[in-house]
Amino acid sequence: MNDTSATTSRRQAGPSTIAIVGPFQAGKTTLLEGILARAGAIQRPGAVDNGTSVGDASAEARAHHMSVEANIATCDYLGESMTFVDCPGSVELLQDMQAVLPFCDAAVVVCEADPRKVPALQVILHALEELALPRFLFLNKIDISTSRVRETLKLLQPASRTPLLLRQIPLWKNGIATGFIDLALERAFIYREHAQSEVVDLPDIEIFRKKEARFSMLERLADYDDALMENLIDEMEPPRDRVFGDLASELRGGNVMPVLIGAAQHGNGVTRLLKALRHEGPALAQTQARLGIAAEGEPLIQVMRTIHTAHGGKLSVARLLRGGLSDGDSVTGPGGVEKLSGLSRMLGGMLAKRGAAEAGETVALGRLDSVVTGQTLSTRKAPEQLLSATPPQPLLGVTIRARERKDDARLSAAFGKLREEDAGLVIEPDPETGEISLRGQGEMHLRLAQARLTSRFGIALETSPLHSGYRETIRGAAQARGRHRKQSGGHGQFGDVVLHIRPLPRGEGFRFVDEITGGVVPRNYIPSVEEGVRAYLGEGPLGFPVVDIEVRLTDGSYHTVDSSDMAFQQAARLAMQEAMPQAHPVLLEPILAVEIATPDEALAKVTALATSRRGQMLGYDARPGWEGWSLVQALIPEAEIGDLVVELRSATAGVGSFTYRPERLAELLGRQADTLVEQNRRSA
């Protein structure tokens, strides 16, 4: 790093957007309340537990006392506009975070000295590291911590590939943190309840501890600044501007993650965090460079979230990455051109109308019907899309329907809105049964989706487990004649076929072979025979679709007057009904190739979980780029996957996940097969 960049501690002024992220119940929403109160956007901080917070304002968030969607709030601090996006901490709800993070300037990672939450912290930090997003770590709940800060950093460091850089150390009194020493400012502060900390003289007893911690901080910064290294070698005190310049430069370059301390519930540490964000955090120009966006050009607008409000209609929460935007402008995206109807600044669920917004601001855009989360818009021609994230593979699902048939149409419309708000949900009909499946990232994710459908749209719901894709085939060969004859006045019905069936190798599907000679079955009726066979294969003698079978049409007869397409279809079905039971039908179950990601400390539990679900272990290996994690490979029947994620999360402190793909169909024999066939017959 050169001398010029070292002395530039103040970023260019302008609106900024900062994500607040961290594990579940780390205190993210409480920190947002403290920030908004300190900036004067609200009179006093609200509380999550009593439902008075600006964030978590939805009925579902209030009911569960947790963030269930990204909450956006904009405030002004020391003359600069700052938008904070409070992201859910549950691993089941990370889709909102992933849609927002790429377009933020920085992130504040909120965590505490809890070893149980380190795996969840690692999941979040990995997402930030992949995006090269500059980040501060706010070590929360310092007032109740029983661990020394350096011990805590040793605990947390394995979760981060970026070195943690301690910026502050606590002042202790009777084992309680009553304030802190800022190692860059070399000043001591005493906490005040929901107020700015008070500067005090540094106690003599703390001078050595301060010097030691400050030298450790400077030594880390000197890894990237030769001039600072020379100062340390010569035992010269570096200029304060150089220290702050290095802190800003190494944060923005992703070389360090500065650690600040505080207690969000009491508003402690909030002012220093805000000042660090204002002076050291990246500006829009750095975000543009990270995204590969030119600083000049037509307006560029990125949609980060979609909200359907009860009275205001659809809102598209978007950041202006370049250029300005005014109410009434036309915007162009993948869905075409639409006219903007309303532009608002957000404070949680409260909107403040405004006429225009400038580059860097995050605002709510009204009634852009064709626009969805993740799209990039412009006021001119349709721009290149910046986000190409693939929604996560669903891990848990249910069949869902309206309790009352009269609500079917409303439920269909509600599904569309729900899917727009949450890209992590998959809602689609089963191609075989026609039932609608609702699938997502876990138990909580699905409960929230159902709660939204009920509370927002007033639809009573019924759910049931998803069906596994069982199939049946045959082990042997058989032959049967099917003759359909009916006389009811006028033209009758007549069709006559002889069919030979035999099994095909697994995965071959269905094959129909025409071996008719001499015209015993006219050519124009042969497609009808095949159609009748295919219709029968939808449900074989065991009650499931039939696969991997060859059917040969070898003989038959017809009537010049009474034969018809329908008659030969029915004859084919009759022949299949007689031949299939003779060919030793057998049940098949789908087997999935499953890859489970788990922290190493839960590896034994995870392998036991896989084998307890009739899984065949294939092995495990280190997870690339994830220190302390493994990937477990196994073949597991689809029927055993249903609630796997529930037990997996329980075994892995809430962070385990898996991916899967179809592998093959395997025979299922014995009592389990008999039970399935009997259950299927009873439900038919």
Side-chain angles (χ1 to χ4, degrees), residues 448-520:
L448 289 170
Q450 293 171 54
R452 287 169 178 150
L453 289 169
T454 298
S455 63
R456 295 188 193 180
F457 305 102
I459 303 172
L461 300 171
E462 291 181 345
T463 62
S464 57
L466 290 178
H467 300 290
S468 184
Y470 291 106
R471 296 291 185 266
E472 60 180 276
T473 191
I474 54 176
R475 284 179 166 180
Q479 172 182 314
R481 178 181 290 274
R483 176 173 290 182
H484 176 65
R485 174 182 290 176
K486 188 174 183 181
Q487 192 69 41
S488 57
H491 288 305
Q493 298 181 34
F494 182 84
D496 176 32
V497 297
V498 176
L499 301 179
H500 288 253
I501 63 174
R502 70 179 184 93
L504 290 176
R506 196 73 67 239
E508 290 291 315
F510 167 64
R511 184 188 304 156
F512 181 79
V513 181
D514 170 21
E515 294 185 351
I516 292 297
T517 59
V520 293

Side-chain angles (χ1 to χ4, degrees), residues 376-422:
T376 310
L377 315 175
S378 179
T379 55
R380 300 179 190 173
K381 65 179 182 180
E384 181 179 348
Q385 297 300 293
L386 295 175
L387 183 64
S388 58
T390 303
Q393 194 174 27
L395 304 180
L396 185 67
V398 294
T399 296
I400 189 168
R401 58 193 169 275
R403 186 173 298 166
E404 303 288 341
R405 291 293 300 273
K406 62 182 177 62
D407 290 332
D408 285 350
R410 285 202 303 139
L411 181 60
S412 179
F415 279 152
K417 293 180 178 180
L418 191 65
R419 184 66 179 82
E420 280 191 333
E421 290 188 344
D422 187 349

Side-chain angles (χ1 to χ4, degrees), residues 274-471:
L274 279 168
K275 288 187 175 180
L277 288 168
R278 182 174 184 268
H279 290 284
E280 299 163 30
L284 178 61
Q286 284 84 44
T287 302
Q288 290 171 332
R290 176 168 52 82
L291 294 173
I293 299 171
E296 301 295 330
E298 71 278 1
L300 208 57
I301 306 145
Q302 181 64 37
V303 179
M304 303 189 298
R305 200 186 156 208
T306 300
I307 306 171
H308 287 276
T309 65
H311 305 293
K314 179 178 176 179
L315 295 176
S316 300
V317 181
R319 187 166 194 211
L320 276 64
L321 295 172
R322 188 174 61 206
L325 187 65
S326 299
D327 190 8
D329 282 351
S330 293
V331 295
T332 305
V337 181
E338 289 202 59
K339 188 173 183 180
L340 178 62
S341 177
L343 191 153
S344 304
R345 174 168 160 154
M346 302 185 71
L347 188 66
M350 296 177 284
L351 302 177
K353 294 288 186 181
R354 53 187 305 174
E358 63 176 293
E361 289 193 85
T362 296
V363 291
L365 311 178
R367 301 191 181 185
L368 299 177
D369 292 335
S370 68
V371 171
V372 299
T373 300
Q375 289 184 343
T376 310
L377 315 175
S378 179
T379 55
R380 300 179 190 173
K381 65 179 182 180
E384 181 179 348
Q385 297 300 293
L386 295 175
L387 183 64
S388 58
T390 303
Q393 194 174 27
L395 304 180
L396 185 67
V398 294
T399 296
I400 189 168
R401 58 193 169 275
R403 186 173 298 166
E404 303 288 341
R405 291 293 300 273
K406 62 182 177 62
D407 290 332
D408 285 350
R410 285 202 303 139
L411 181 60
S412 179
F415 279 152
K417 293 180 178 180
L418 191 65
R419 184 66 179 82
E420 280 191 333
E421 290 188 344
D422 187 349
L425 291 173
V426 176
I427 304 169
E428 59 188 7
D430 186 304
E432 293 178 7
T433 66
E435 295 178 320
I436 302 296
S437 65
L438 171 67
R439 295 183 290 159
Q441 296 306 300
E443 222 174 5
M444 173 62 72
H445 195 198
L446 294 187
R447 281 207 305 268
L448 289 170
Q450 293 171 54
R452 287 169 178 150
L453 289 169
T454 298
S455 63
R456 295 188 193 180
F457 305 102
I459 303 172
L461 300 171
E462 291 181 345
T463 62
S464 57
L466 290 178
H467 300 290
S468 184
Y470 291 106
R471 296 291 185 266

